[in-house]
Amino acid sequence: MQSKISQYTSEIEAFEPKTAEELEAFRIKFLGTKGIIKDLFDEFKAVSPEEKRVLGKVLNQFKQLAEAKFNDFKDSFSGESQNKADGEDLTLPGEGFELGGRHPLSLVRKEIVEIFKRLGFVVAEGPEIEDDWHNFSALNFPEEHPARDMQDTFFVAPIPGENVDQEKKGEYALRTHTSSVQVRLMEAGKPPFRALMPGRVYRNEAISARAHCFFHQVEGLYVDENVSFADLKQTLYYFVQELYGEGTKVRFRPSYFPFTEPSAEMDISCTICKGAGCQMCKYTGWVEILGCGMIDPNVLENVGIDSKKYTGFAFGMGIERITNLKYQIKDLRLFSENDIRFLKQFQTEII
Ligand code: PHE
């Protein structure tokens, strides 16, 4: 046995594999389950106890030598042998799966929705192609009323062959505000209503840094018994504190919308200069963020709600404006140009 071991030892010492196959043959010959080392250990069982003492050590050293030799070369062929499947190199890095980020307008919309959800508002949506009734008439815009000019409307022809209401033919438009969704919601159900309606709206304006032919609004609606202007103020005050931080001031200025009476516009203290005066607030310390008011009883009656029993408030804000104040974006066009350098700056949250 001793002589066999020393013969194999020199064989192992001299062994220098050139290929993975040679190394594998070596492994099978010496270290395999039917290999030489296994045989030697079997033989070892039969020797006398005195011999065992000497041989045990020799045998163990021999085994370690064979293993060390195998390990020395194992890695040099690994890429070539074990990882090759059908000509593919499995050690190459995989193709990356890049996660995108959220658009800044989506981030802000989500934030707005979450704040109002905490007050029990649910989200509702409506179509972007709207008829005259939902966009104007039901909202107390009388025909030929100059208030219709407040919002430069894109009128659209019905798609030929499309199943349109014949009476309303020629009255379709891209919605100019999300107030149309209020009407749909109230027509479809019974009070109380507490809903938030985000969506895209369209106006026929020349595209510039400050205006675009489409933008996004979030409409809010609350109708129940005994809803008052104080509820409206408190709701919006809570919203502003949550969105822009405690201490942000609000002020209401009287305004006009056909569908609310009384109507107001709400300003907040400039989030950028904190009221000291800057370009964003045109050195006034205040920026307007939304229109609001108590729903005009005519609107409630138009959608079949008893205006003697129920009152309500509504508000509408532009998501772009809210986002600009948050991130100081000075050009509205950036939102729709899909410039990756712009969008990458908002990859803060991935869901
Ligand atoms: N719809 C109005 C606009 O687009 C905003 C608004 C909504 C005002 C609800 C009052 C109440 O300007």
Side-chain angles (χ1 to χ4, degrees), residues 119 228-240 252:
L119 294 174
S228 72
F229 201 90
D231 297 321
L232 167 63
K233 280 176 93 173
Q234 187 55 43
T235 303
L236 294 177
Y237 182 75
Y238 171 79
F239 164 66
V240 169
F252 289 79

Side-chain angles (χ1 to χ4, degrees), residues 172-301:
Y172 288 91
L174 297 179
R175 67 178 175 196
T176 58
H177 53 180
T178 41
S179 301
S180 55
V181 190
Q182 279 187 40
V183 179
R184 289 188 174 270
L185 191 77
M186 290 192 285
E187 276 178 341
K190 282 201 168 55
F193 296 103
R194 209 185 308 178
L196 208 64
M197 296 151 276
R200 181 175 284 182
V201 302
Y202 301 82
R203 293 190 194 174
N204 189 1
E205 300 209 27
I207 296 171
S208 70
R210 304 170 60 92
H212 212 295
C213 59
F214 65 78
F215 56 98
H216 301 80
Q217 288 188 329
V218 177
E219 189 92 2
L221 173 78
Y222 181 27
V223 181
D224 203 347
E225 289 177 44
N226 301 319
V227 176
S228 72
F229 201 90
D231 297 321
L232 167 63
K233 280 176 93 173
Q234 187 55 43
T235 303
L236 294 177
Y237 182 75
Y238 171 79
F239 164 66
V240 169
Q241 305 306 302
E242 289 292 294
L243 189 70
Y244 290 115
E246 272 180 38
T248 312
K249 288 191 216 133
V250 301
R251 76 174 184 193
F252 289 79
R253 284 178 291 103
S255 185
Y256 171 76
F257 300 102
F259 36 92
T260 46
E261 182 60 37
S263 304
E265 275 166 325
M266 189 179 86
D267 300 339
I268 60 168
S269 49
C270 182
T271 54
I272 288 149
C273 64
K274 308 277 174 238
C278 69
Q279 250 184 342
M280 186 63 125
C281 61
K282 300 198 197 87
Y283 299 94
T284 62
W286 296 94
V287 269
E288 182 208 316
I289 63 160
L290 55 81
C292 60
M294 299 307 290
I295 301 171
D296 193 300
N298 286 343
V299 176
L300 294 175
E301 295 297 333

Side-chain angles (χ1 to χ4, degrees), residues 59-188:
L59 195 52
N60 271 322
Q61 274 169 354
F62 175 69
K63 188 183 170 203
Q64 278 161 16
L65 177 76
E67 282 172 350
K69 191 75 172 192
F70 176 74
N71 287 335
D72 279 351
F73 289 96
K74 194 176 64 182
D75 291 339
S76 34
F77 303 116
S78 60
E80 224 181 274
S81 59
Q82 293 140 11
N83 296 308
K84 247 193 187 154
D86 297 335
E88 300 278 346
D89 184 352
L90 301 182
T91 60
L92 287 176
E95 253 175 54
F97 179 67
E98 279 191 48
L99 285 177
R102 280 183 184 260
H103 192 281
L105 293 176
S106 306
L107 285 174
V108 171
R109 183 193 54 208
K110 188 162 165 271
E111 216 179 316
I112 296 170
V113 167
E114 268 163 16
I115 293 171
F116 282 101
K117 269 192 180 165
R118 296 205 279 277
L119 294 174
F121 283 73
V122 296
V123 173
E125 280 175 353
E128 291 184 13
I129 297 178
E130 204 35 294
D131 54 49
D132 181 273
W133 171 255
H134 292 98
N135 197 74
F136 291 121
S137 297
L139 287 163
N140 204 32
F141 284 84
E143 241 166 85
E144 312 298 335
H145 192 281
R148 289 188 184 223
D149 297 337
M150 276 166 69
Q151 305 178 344
D152 298 303
T153 310
F154 281 120
F155 292 96
V156 292
I159 302 164
E162 186 95 328
N163 193 10
V164 295
D165 189 334
Q166 285 308 306
E167 262 179 47
K168 290 184 185 163
K169 214 170 158 190
E171 294 182 16
Y172 288 91
L174 297 179
R175 67 178 175 196
T176 58
H177 53 180
T178 41
S179 301
S180 55
V181 190
Q182 279 187 40
V183 179
R184 289 188 174 270
L185 191 77
M186 290 192 285
E187 276 178 341

